[in-house]
Amino acid sequence: MIMPKHLHLHPLLCQLIALFVLSACSIDDNPVPEPVNPDQKDYVERMAPVVTPNGESQGTVMLRFYNDMPNVAYVSISDFQRIMYPGTTVQVTKTADNQYALTSPCGSATVDVAKDVFESDDYEAFTNMMGMVQPGMPNTVYDALPIIRWKSLEKTPQQVHVALDYGKFDIDLRADDANVYFPFATIADLYIDGYMHMACFNGQTVMVAPNGAYSLDDGYPQQFIAPILNETRTADMADFAYKNLCFTLTNLFGYPGRTLLENKGLKEKGLDQALLDYGQAGQMTRELLKSQNMYEYIAGTTTLGYLLNDGGHTYTDVTVISQIDKESTFWSEMNAVKNAKRKEFDTYCPEYAGVEQVLIDQYRLHALLNEKRTEKMGAGVKYYKEGETVYCWFDSFLCDDSGWRKFYKGEGLKPTVADYPDDWLVALTDALEKAENDPEVKNFVLDISTNGGGSSDVVMFVTSIFSNKADFLYENTLTGQKMKCSYDVDRNLDGKFDEKDAEVKYDLNFALLISPCSFSCGNMLPALLKDYGIPLLGQRSGGGSCCVLYNPSADGFGYRYSTHRGRLNNQKGENIDAGIVPTYELDYNDYFNIQKVAQLVEGYYAH
């Protein structure tokens, strides 16, 4: 969540890998080629194939290329809705010169193509595609694991008028009498949601992910990225891509609160001005992002990622989820530029060393805690009992969703430890059953001290078991709305949502073991449980308050960032990125001191 569903190399490892890669060259003013346009229109149209990440055909879509931007694809809002949510469209009505009313299946909006402004009283409803996941579901956060289902959503306030001023970023919205046309990447950025429905265009082919993040866990397919891997970019694409990135990261970033650019007024000034104001590091990054040299551009996405480093959610480096062949000449030449630019960046931005050191320290702590856990309990042991206390090692909020999906569809048996030894949800439920059936056990300590995240759906399951609540608390940083999304939970995991779920109870003293390595969902769970009266032990958790999205770049790469759609809160409505303070602080040497931990837990419940 959150590291969705989402990626599944530990975020600390991802970040450290990205740290050791980044160069410069001059910008060539390549002339824009004259468009071939026999009909003397101000645009040409081209039909593009639409495929899934697996290469399955989803038909075609008509794209426009205007004479003044011959390499930047535009798409009608009606056609975009159709490829994103098959069987639906957007009705477009021209209400006055340059004024259009848009009506989608779930909401409405208006567009002024003279001012280039999109407005809506509920833009999330207008772009809602979650009905494909669960009928009637609003545009909220859900990984669609079958162990939970959406129940309700409360918004405070219920509606907020949003005016997105694309004109301020020199992004031109266009229209004719029949439809409104957005740059493909611009409308794709607005639609991408918490289930990772997304679309991307690489200059030849449109890729859509109808099954959300489950289609993108391993990044973009190499065959989709291959056509983009050229040494140069056209002038119109380089210019537009930068403007679109500025719009997206100014308006749609989640603003977790810890990044270097936030301290330079990113939200108030916008990305472009924030980079200019950052000094040589920001100015260098800005020039790289605008470069027509592809290697320089990619180096710029990497240095931008350093300035937006939020602990493991935001990776603007387009190589992170773009599958570039590491044996190719392109990769080696690109890396040479990236490495050179990284060295230059370090001379301009010495403060980044402090950000980097935090990650290195967390990585070392992760190794230390694993070592201490192994010394006490043995390597890979997920259930450990000493006296009246049980430790359950829970190192990821991920499960083997294929096994659970088969079970809920009636196509397979319920997952067990024997069949799915690496499934953390199975390990947890097995540990709960053992502890509940053992008359000696009183205390159940869930060890998430090295847990770097996973699926918020699994957080909802754990929260329901520990506290009988399943509420996801977050805010939209674009609208300022506070959200409470509630879910039904199949607490007994019998494949049904019924009255038997309420009968699931455990006569155990629950507690949570946390550390600075508890990130993303590992930060979300302690935030919820502390509010619900469950004691936390250890050191302050590591933050990571924003849900993440896989976003398309204008030229067809992919990147990941903390989204405005879901910045997590506690019950007071406060951002939790600073981490959660434990109920009882422990020295790292006492994390696996079972006797001491048991005394703290029993003392807490005795009051």
Side-chain angles (χ1 to χ4, degrees):
M1 241 191 216
I2 300 182
M3 229 173 188
K5 359 187 180 209
H6 310 154
L7 294 158
H8 301 296
L9 188 59
H10 189 283
L12 297 177
L13 295 178
C14 290
Q15 193 71 13
L16 287 167
I17 290 169
L19 294 176
F20 299 104
V21 278
L22 262 222
S23 149
C25 291
S26 60
I27 299 175
D28 297 324
D29 293 321
N30 295 330
V32 178
E34 290 295 324
V36 178
N37 193 345
D39 297 328
Q40 299 304 309
K41 295 179 181 178
D42 65 346
Y43 61 84
V44 295
E45 293 186 321
R46 174 155 55 90
M47 199 70 77
V50 181
V51 300
T52 69
N54 295 326
E56 299 169 355
S57 175
Q58 301 290 293
T60 59
V61 64
M62 182 66 77
L63 301 178
R64 276 189 181 181
F65 299 84
Y66 288 89
N67 293 356
D68 59 336
M69 301 170 66
N71 297 285
V72 177
Y74 274 70
V75 64
S76 76
I77 185 66
S78 301
D79 280 345
F80 190 82
Q81 174 77 25
R82 175 180 58 80
I83 64 172
M84 293 300 288
Y85 197 157
T88 71
T89 189
V90 171
Q91 299 296 326
V92 179
T93 304
K94 187 174 183 180
T95 57
D97 286 347
N98 302 313
Q99 306 289 321
Y100 295 81
L102 313 179
T103 305
S104 77
C106 297
S108 61
T110 63
V111 169
D112 183 326
V113 296
K115 296 180 180 178
D116 299 314
V117 174
F118 169 97
E119 298 186 64
S120 177
D121 288 333
D122 192 344
Y123 83 98
E124 287 190 312
F126 178 77
T127 59
N128 184 24
M129 298 172 283
M130 296 303 290
M132 289 188 286
V133 182
Q134 182 178 323
M137 187 176 182
N139 201 344
T140 187
V141 178
Y142 186 36
D143 291 350
L145 292 177
I147 60 174
I148 74 169
R149 67 182 181 188
W150 171 77
K151 180 179 180 182
S152 64
L153 176 64
E154 299 175 15
K155 296 183 177 183
T156 307
Q158 182 61 34
Q159 286 191 332
V160 173
H161 183 78
V162 168
L164 296 176
D165 188 349
Y166 291 101
K168 182 178 179 181
F169 294 80
D170 197 24
I171 295 173
D172 196 12
L173 307 184
R174 312 195 185 202
D176 55 27
D177 287 339
N179 224 311
V180 173
Y181 293 80
F182 288 76
F184 191 95
T186 299
I187 196 62
D189 286 347
L190 189 61
Y191 264 70
I192 188 170
D193 61 22
Y195 188 64
M196 303 295 173
H197 292 114
M198 58 75 65
C200 192
F201 179 60
N202 67 358
Q204 299 179 6
T205 303
V206 171
M207 181 176 69
V208 296
N211 297 320
Y214 301 104
S215 300
L216 295 171
D217 273 347
D218 297 323
Y220 284 14
Q222 187 165 314
Q223 64 269 23
F224 182 79
I225 294 298
I228 313 168
L229 305 183
N230 304 303
E231 292 185 2
T232 60
R233 311 159 76 206
T234 62
D236 58 333
M237 176 55 75
D239 180 63
F240 169 72
Y242 180 70
K243 293 172 181 176
N244 196 69
L245 183 68
C246 286
F247 175 89
T248 299
L249 291 180
T250 300
N251 292 281
L252 306 182
F253 189 53
Y255 293 97
R258 70 167 79 181
T259 71
L260 295 175
L261 272 184
E262 287 177 87
N263 296 330
K264 288 293 183 181
L266 173 61
K267 188 169 188 178
E268 297 76 21
K269 301 175 183 178
L271 177 63
D272 186 58
Q273 191 62 49
L275 288 174
L276 283 170
D277 290 348
Y278 202 87
Q280 288 179 291
Q283 292 158 17
M284 179 190 81
T285 296
R286 180 178 183 270
E287 291 308 309
L288 292 173
L289 290 170
K290 293 162 68 76
S291 177
Q292 291 173 233
N293 180 292
M294 184 66 79
Y295 305 137
E296 290 187 351
Y297 161 66
I298 292 174
T301 68
T302 307
T303 58
L304 177 63
Y306 298 154
L307 296 172
L308 289 175
N309 186 311
D310 56 6
H313 277 165
T314 297
Y315 296 108
T316 58
D317 181 343
V318 297
T319 65
V320 170
I321 62 170
S322 302
Q323 299 296 293
I324 301 173
D325 182 2
K326 293 180 175 55
E327 302 299 321
S328 66
T329 300
F330 184 94
W331 181 268
S332 61
E333 294 183 356
M334 174 198 71
N335 261 343
V337 176
K338 287 178 68 176
N339 288 329
K341 282 301 173 186
R342 170 60 200 274
K343 292 178 181 177
E344 185 178 348
F345 177 87
D346 286 344
T347 66
Y348 297 150
C349 191
E351 62 272 26
Y352 185 68
V355 177
E356 192 174 59
Q357 189 61 51
V358 170
L359 294 166
I360 293 171
D361 290 344
Q362 289 181 351
Y363 180 71
R364 289 170 177 165
L365 175 60
H366 190 279
L368 174 66
L369 292 176
N370 270 331
E371 180 183 348
K372 289 183 176 298
R373 183 189 293 115
T374 299
E375 288 175 356
K376 177 69 176 183
M377 304 174 186
V381 173
K382 298 176 181 177
Y383 182 91
Y384 182 86
K385 175 188 170 186
E386 184 175 305
E388 299 177 334
T389 301
V390 159
Y391 262 51
C392 175
W393 180 35
F394 192 69
D395 211 35
S396 172
F397 288 91
L398 290 173
C399 61
D400 187 329
D401 60 280
S402 62
W404 288 103
R405 291 179 194 283
K406 289 177 184 177
F407 170 62
Y408 276 79
K409 289 179 181 178
E411 299 172 355
L413 298 176
K414 182 176 178 179
T416 65
V417 172
D419 296 327
Y420 294 89
D422 298 323
D423 187 314
W424 292 97
L425 179 60
V426 172
L428 172 60
T429 56
D430 181 70
L432 286 166
E433 183 177 354
K434 287 179 181 176
E436 181 68 11
N437 293 331
D438 188 334
E440 293 181 351
V441 175
K442 294 182 180 179
N443 309 311
F444 189 97
V445 179
L446 190 66
D447 175 9
I448 64 165
S449 61
T450 54
N451 190 316
S455 170
S456 55
D457 288 4
V458 178
V459 175
M460 291 296 95
F461 177 83
V462 178
T463 305
S464 177
I465 295 298
F466 278 40
S467 64
N468 200 31
K469 296 180 185 292
D471 300 324
F472 190 104
L473 305 175
Y474 65 100
E475 64 185 311
N476 182 310
T477 58
L478 176 63
T479 66
Q481 290 168 293
K482 304 290 186 179
M483 315 285 192
K484 177 182 176 181
C485 193
S486 300
Y487 300 85
D488 291 320
V489 177
D490 183 15
R491 290 160 56 89
N492 60 3
L493 295 176
D494 66 352
K496 303 174 184 176
F497 296 91
D498 55 25
E499 65 281 355
K500 293 182 180 179
D501 293 318
E503 299 172 5
V504 176
K505 299 184 187 302
Y506 293 94
D507 186 22
L508 298 167
N509 296 328
F510 287 118
L512 203 61
L513 186 65
I514 62 174
S515 85
C517 297
S518 305
F519 183 78
S520 191
C521 283
N523 187 62
M524 177 186 179
L525 182 65
L528 291 170
L529 293 185
K530 186 175 183 180
D531 281 342
Y532 298 151
I534 304 298
L536 313 181
L537 302 95
Q539 297 284 329
R540 183 193 290 262
S541 58
S545 65
C546 292
C547 298
V548 300
L549 295 184
Y550 294 96
N551 243 53
S553 69
D555 36 17
F557 287 111
Y559 65 98
R560 199 181 84 193
Y561 78 118
S562 289
T563 172
H564 69 293
R565 288 186 179 272
R567 187 173 74 183
L568 306 186
N569 291 331
N570 58 22
Q571 282 194 317
K572 295 178 181 179
E574 299 165 333
N575 176 15
I576 62 171
D577 193 70
I580 311 304
V581 176
T583 313
Y584 301 111
E585 186 172 311
L586 287 177
D587 183 89
Y588 296 129
N589 290 322
D590 288 329
Y591 265 53
F592 306 103
N593 182 336
I594 310 296
Q595 185 177 4
K596 182 171 184 176
V597 167
Q599 290 175 347
L600 293 173
V601 174
E602 290 171 8
Y604 179 87
Y605 282 98
H607 292 86

